[in-house]
Amino acid sequence: MDPTDSPDSPGSPVSPLEQALHAARALVLADLVAGDVAEADVVSLVEESVVQRRWWVEQWPEGAAFVAGLIAQDVQDALLERYGRWPLCPVCGSGDPHALDVEPELGPDPHWVCHKAGVKVASVGTLGSCAGGTASS
């Protein structure tokens, strides 16, 4: 067997499925970093979701465009169970702190929205560009 034929060789092409999963992982990690919550145990939640969503996309390849939003929702749900709401809304300056939601729930181009203010806050992966991320003063 020629070593260049190995699927792990540096020159081998990456499948569209793996490209979608790597891109989704990077987007969600960027949002976690922006919110200053990218601790090792939280990053593990992302990895767990990627593993689960890999199987999901293998079963439904047309869903590859949806994995970023799904992984963001998976991590958000896991964080809620373990730590609390994430990401907190950077738009609403008063009232109870509340989390943003991912929309569409199952669709391409996922973004974070504040249902309270009725606004799109940022695309998944770009929370750091909106008003200093999710940090609050």
Side-chain angles (χ1 to χ4, degrees), residues 5-137:
D5 293 337
S6 168
D8 297 326
S9 10
S12 65
V14 178
S15 73
L17 166 99
E18 288 302 317
Q19 288 176 356
L21 290 168
H22 288 295
R25 175 191 292 121
L27 291 172
V28 174
L29 287 173
D31 286 345
L32 289 166
V33 168
D36 202 24
V37 293
E39 303 296 327
D41 57 335
V42 175
V43 172
S44 293
L45 299 174
V46 176
E47 296 305 322
E48 290 170 22
S49 176
V50 168
V51 168
Q52 293 170 358
R53 294 303 176 176
R54 177 175 286 114
W55 178 88
W56 182 83
V57 174
E58 286 170 348
Q59 305 309 306
W60 188 45
E62 295 81 16
F66 308 158
V67 294
L70 292 170
I71 290 173
Q73 290 174 65
D74 291 346
V75 171
Q76 186 179 40
D77 291 346
L79 282 171
L80 180 61
E81 290 175 16
R82 296 179 190 193
Y83 303 106
R85 292 175 288 222
W86 175 86
L88 292 179
C89 178
V91 175
C92 298
S94 60
D96 291 332
H98 55 277
L100 300 173
D101 295 311
V102 174
E103 284 193 356
E105 288 186 21
L106 183 62
D109 186 30
H111 47 274
W112 296 106
V113 298
C114 171
H115 284 289
K116 199 172 198 180
V119 297
K120 175 182 173 181
V121 176
S123 294
V124 169
T126 64
L127 277 177
S129 67
C130 68
T134 57
S136 60
S137 54

